[in-house]
Amino acid sequence: MLVYPSGVDVSTSTLRYLSTRLRARRREMGTRWRRLPAGRQALLVLAHLRCGHTYAQLAAGFGVGTTTAYRYINEAVEVLTALAPTLAEAMKAASTKAFVILDGTLLPIDRIAADRPFFSGKHKKHGMNVQVLTDAAGRLLWASPALPGAVHDIRAARTHGIIDALAEAGVECWADKGYRGAGGTIRLPYWGRWDTLSAGQQAVNRSHAKIRALVEQAMATLKTWRLLRKLRCSTTRITSLVQAVLTLHLTCSN
């Protein structure tokens, strides 16, 4: 395999943060020697998450075995996942905001047509459903565990306990029509054909759409980590990958 120099479009603070966490993990485990120092391991992990490079490509570029590259990445993902905010912690942050925005996104996965639980009828593709909470400015606050793509947004929100948590915290939340019937503090646009709505209802729906459009910034933030654009790993690992990306984003963007 040919090897060439390349770049990763993440900040040096992100690299330093991950390196520090990996060094702490090595001290905790009592590791004396590794093929790569913590800084190089962190760079390998960031190249995988940000650029979507495969284990074989990373192994060739960093001069390690494919198994070693997998082990290094899995270790870092575990470290970052443990630091990801819980829903309760996200509610504490949300309670200081004017309101939050809730939406779901589909992370495409590599599956065949027979895998019906992962097929989203809305998006016409296989994937995993991830619920996202943002603040009023569209900044990412929390991302849920991943569920099969066939799960609708309202069911996913109830499964994760998002609706009850928002109601308990008294946080107002803007959402789209996919959450119809949620109740609690969820605010939805008026239902019905546009020409059947009154002028006042149309004005409310326009304002609602402008507010909800801000959530697309959070979706774009997740998709800048190219690994999430087309996941080819086991579906059981996707939640950990999303939580790892969330930790890096929240820690290094503040």
Side-chain angles (χ1 to χ4, degrees):
M1 185 178 294
L2 299 176
V3 178
Y4 66 96
S6 184
V8 183
D9 56 341
V10 295
S11 64
T12 54
S13 63
T14 305
L15 179 63
R16 289 195 298 268
Y17 172 79
L18 183 54
S19 300
T20 300
R21 292 297 179 181
L22 290 175
R23 291 190 188 98
R25 173 65 174 261
R26 293 184 181 193
R27 288 194 297 269
E28 180 184 335
M29 296 178 61
T31 303
R32 294 186 178 182
W33 182 86
R34 292 282 186 94
R35 183 68 180 270
L36 294 180
R40 293 286 288 173
Q41 180 184 358
L43 183 59
L44 183 151
V45 173
L46 291 176
H48 177 65
L49 295 176
R50 190 71 171 187
C51 303
H53 294 324
T54 65
Y55 301 132
Q57 291 171 327
L58 293 170
F62 284 83
V64 297
T66 303
T67 303
T68 301
Y70 172 82
R71 187 171 65 249
Y72 279 170
I73 292 170
N74 192 54
E75 178 185 42
V77 168
E78 288 180 358
V79 170
L80 293 171
T81 300
L83 299 171
T86 63
L87 181 58
E89 292 170 340
M91 287 301 105
K92 290 182 180 179
S95 63
T96 65
K97 310 295 183 180
F99 61 87
V100 297
I101 308 171
L102 171 65
D103 201 0
T105 186
L106 188 79
L107 301 181
I109 60 175
D110 186 16
R111 284 295 182 273
I112 61 175
D115 294 325
R116 299 300 300 176
F118 301 101
F119 184 78
S120 170
K122 175 182 177 181
H123 298 277
K124 307 301 181 184
K125 64 175 68 174
H126 293 82
M128 299 293 285
N129 181 304
V130 174
Q131 299 294 299
V132 171
L133 279 174
T134 75
D135 64 11
R139 292 185 292 261
L140 189 61
L141 294 177
W142 180 77
S144 74
L147 293 175
V151 176
H152 295 286
D153 285 340
I154 179 62
R155 180 183 168 191
R158 286 171 174 160
T159 299
H160 299 309
I162 300 172
I163 298 171
D164 292 338
L166 289 168
E168 184 177 346
V171 178
E172 288 195 350
C173 176
W174 266 249
D176 62 21
K177 294 178 181 179
Y179 298 89
R180 187 184 183 193
T185 57
I186 305 294
R187 301 187 64 173
L188 304 173
Y190 285 103
W191 184 270
R193 291 170 55 91
W194 184 258
D195 55 1
T196 64
L197 300 178
S198 67
Q201 291 173 332
Q202 290 179 359
V204 169
N205 280 10
R206 288 193 195 97
S207 176
H208 193 282
K210 289 179 181 178
I211 293 173
R212 277 202 60 263
L214 297 172
V215 78
E216 298 303 326
Q217 298 179 22
M219 303 304 186
T221 296
L222 285 177
K223 299 299 175 66
T224 57
W225 298 83
R226 297 175 186 87
L227 183 70
L228 300 182
R229 296 180 185 177
K230 184 68 172 181
L231 289 154
R232 293 178 172 83
C233 61
S234 169
T235 55
T236 59
R237 296 190 63 235
I238 293 177
T239 292
S240 296
L241 292 172
V242 172
Q243 298 298 313
V245 168
L246 178 65
T247 298
L248 289 174
H249 172 74
L250 293 180
T251 304
C252 303
S253 62
N254 295 331

